[in-house]
Each structure stands twice: as structure tokens, then as C-alpha cells.
Amino acid sequence: MEAPETTRLSIYKAARSIKRKDNTIYNALRSIYEDSTFVGEISQLWPELPLLANLRCGLWYFSKFHSTCYFKSTDGHNNNWSFNTSRLNLHVAHLSGEKGGCIIVDSTRKGKRFPDSMSKTIPIWTCVLNRCIRNHLNKMNDLAVLEGNSSMSSESAQDIKHASIDWDCSLHLPLWISKTERSSIEGRLEEWTKQLEESGADIAALAACLKKPLRPLWISQKSVIWLNEVPDHDSWDFTPIILVSASFSTGYAQIRTSSEYSWNYIAGAGDDEESWSRGLTPNLFWNHVYDLINSGPDLCNQKVADMVEKDRVYRAQRGQNAPQVIVKSTKLAGNSANLSQFSLDMLNIEDNLNSYGEDQPISWLGETNLALGTPQAAENLSKIDCIIDCNETSVPALLQDPETYFHLPILTSKFDRFSLLKSLPSAVKFAKLNLSKGKKLLICCHNGEDISVCVGLAILISLFDDEGTFDGGKFFSQNCITKLEMRKRLVLICKFAVNARASRGNLKQVFSFLSGTTVISD
């Protein structure tokens, strides 16, 4: 009886070993590189349309994107459909209105042609935005009728009337979505439309920008495209959101060969980058793409280690966020340690270190004197009077008078559920002291997208009234802050900081601070 069990165990171990071998970093990078050719071909079919990466997976699949967006697949999972006002992506709609459409790139490892972000999340998003715009146009039309067209020409009123009648608000889903699921989603549309209208989003600006309703289109490597019949994007009676799934859908690894190496193709290789990238970023990858691809499977790991550590040292020299990268060791390296760190000994630091991009811009929140960004973005900005630095380690290049530089190390909610909550009182106190003197305040974290956004949200609600005017906390002390009110302020922030990606765990801590409902226990 023991022999079959031993055999099964051996087969299990063998299968795991094969899977680990297939999912090497070389296979992932080579797969991404191959898929990027397809993305480039599609982008050339409509060269006037901006190319956007859906974070984070999509960012791997091309060397240069116009912008990014953040549509989560979890918002499109069956029975978990959601329209999330924390991720409105209104900059995508505005950009599409200005350019006549856009192309969004993403991928998936699930053996499907399209990730749920493209199958359902984005179609829900386009439909809800279209419904809000239609409602706005109807209100404008009713207002024009009541006022007897006194505030606008009859021609403008007629244009609004025709636009509201012709504005397509249908839910456009791909054909593989079942009728049952479609019906369930349609039953939630009115609720989501109301949520967006109540969020404080500037629907009027959106309606002014978009001349045609938004509509998704789907393209994968299995799509048949007649190159001599590709329609111009202006010829459609809608604003196209072209959804490109970069990978060839397959449920198994495919062995492919080049003139020098054999390798295994991985569909959606860019997904879950923490599990395979060993600290490599899309920016580093595309800066050294040919060196990595030509290195082959045997040398790729060492190449990546060199590049990642070289980039880390470069950022550390500039006083930027540069944590030591730690990766799981393989059994080939021996069992003497569970973790292995990249070594500095093998590096030539005098090599060309241009792998890190230029200083990133900061986002000013209207006329509030508040800005969000990264520490390196503030190094040479004379407009900044004071800084709240939320990085774990302080930045030497910014260390000045303690009255103008406040280091407030905050861990993300994945590592400490109360780190942000415990830090917010001192952050608001520092902000109040400086904003009351008319100073301009930058709130920064390592990526300028999450913790800094949450700290800025807490300050904006605690010290400003609902018109965005600094009042030192009077409005906050006289009003009960609800989740809806917090959501409205977050929408306002996202209007200016389009890359804001505040995590749910951190937002919960902000609400706990504002409502005073949570008691912190060790």
C-alpha cells in the first residue's frame, strides 16, 4: 500500500519542480517581450490614440505608455461586481474625449483571453459614466426649457437635446458573459450611477469633454483583423476604449525555441510581479531589455540581480527610497540560509546608472496649498515650503529645519494595521501649523500613490471646509464625517492626482481617525 503513495508523492514533487522550472524569470521576461510585439502592432493601427497601461500587470507589456490606469479585476469577479469611487479613472475618460479614444493594455494568467478587469470592470465603468453624462445632459435640456433658452442659444439647446436622446447608455459586455451575469450587473447600474453622482465627481466637465459615449472594444492575439479594413477611430459613433489583452491565451506552458535558447512561454507573465521579478521593475526591464533577453536562461538571474542592486545604490546615493531587495533562495544555492541578499561586491558602481527615471512631478490639490508626490520630486522645487515625509527612512537630501521637514515613517496596512492611524494626529498638527501661515505643504511617500494620498485626505477633511477653503478645522469640528463625505474628498484628490491608488486598509484607518471610532490596542 505504501508504494502507490510514494509514487504519488514523487509525481507531485516532480510536477512542482517542473512548474518552478517553467516560471523562471527568463521565461517571464521572454514571454513579456514576445507579447509586446503584438501590443506594438495594435498601437500602430490607431497611432493617434494614447496607449495606457492597466496597473500593475499591463505596465510590463510595452516600453513607453502615454499614461496608466487602475481597473481591478476583483471589481469584475462574478457576484462581486463593483463600481469603486476610489478608483474612478476619470483621467482616462477625459483623455479619451480629447484624443477620440484610447487603448488600454492588460493581461491575465488565468487561461482566459481577457482578465475580468477588461471583461466586466471597464464595461461597467463606461456604462455608469455614460448614464451619468446622459442624466446631466437631460438636466441641462430641462433647464434650458424652463428658462426659455435665455441662458443659451437655441442651437446649443437643440444640440444638448439631440445628444441626450442619442447618448448610448447600454451595458456593452463581451459575448462570453452569460445572460444571467449580464442581468445581475444591469440590476446594479442604477445604484452605481447614483453613487457616482453623489460622489462629487465633475460630470459637467466630463460631458463637455466627451462628444460621443464611451464604449469598450476587445482585441486579443486570437482576434482577426483585416489590415486593409481597419476603421478610423473617428468613424465610429462612440468613443472607443480599445482593450488589448497582451498574452496568447493558453492553459499550459508552451515550449518555444530561438536560434540560441529554448524557453517556456507564460501567458500573463507580468501578473503577480512580486512572485517572480526579484525586484526588477518594468522601467528597468525596458532600459535593459536586449541585454536581458540575449543573456539566456542561465545568466538572466545574475543580470537581474546586478541591475536591481545597481539601481538601488543609485537611488540611495540620491537620497531616494532604496530598500534592500530580498528574494527567496533556491535549493541549488544550498540550505545554509533561508534568505539571500544581492551582494555589492559584484557591482561596478561607476557604470552607467541611468536606469532610474527623472524626477516625478507632484500633484497640487487645487488652491489648497497641498501637494502630493515623492521625495525626489521635491528636491529642486522652490515652491515647496514644508514637507511631511511618510517614507520609512528619512531622505538626507531633504533634511532641513525641523519646522519645515517632518519625517513621519508610516507602514502600509499590510504590515501594520494601525501605523497610519497612529501617525495622523501629528501629521494634521504639523499641517495646521504651516498651512495657517500660508505655507505650501508637500506630503510624500515612496510612490506618491497610497500613503501620501491617505495623509492628504485626512488633512483635507480635518482642516478645510467643503468648499476647499482652509478653516483650521472649524467645519470638521461642527460636522459628522460620513463615508460618503470622505469619498467625495477622495474623488476631489483623484481629480488632481490621477495616479492615486489609496488601498482599502489605509482608507479604513483614515475613516477611523476622522470618526474617532477605533481604539488602538497593542
Side-chain angles (χ1 to χ4, degrees), residues 83-126:
F83 180 86
N84 200 314
T85 53
S86 299
R87 296 182 289 271
L88 283 180
N89 292 289
L90 293 183
H91 67 289
V92 178
H94 282 284
L95 186 61
S96 300
E98 293 170 5
K99 303 295 184 179
C102 72
I103 303 172
I104 299 177
V105 178
D106 202 353
S107 187
T108 180
R109 286 191 183 213
K110 303 296 184 180
K112 300 181 291 188
R113 287 178 65 184
F114 292 87
D116 285 340
S117 61
M118 290 183 163
S119 295
K120 286 168 280 187
T121 305
I122 295 178
I124 288 172
W125 174 81
T126 58

Side-chain angles (χ1 to χ4, degrees), residues 492-516:
L492 176 65
I493 288 177
C494 292
K495 177 181 178 180
F496 300 102
V498 297
N499 289 327
R501 294 192 291 152
S503 64
R504 184 178 181 183
N506 287 336
L507 287 174
K508 281 185 175 181
Q509 294 180 70
V510 174
F511 184 70
S512 295
F513 165 74
L514 296 171
S515 60

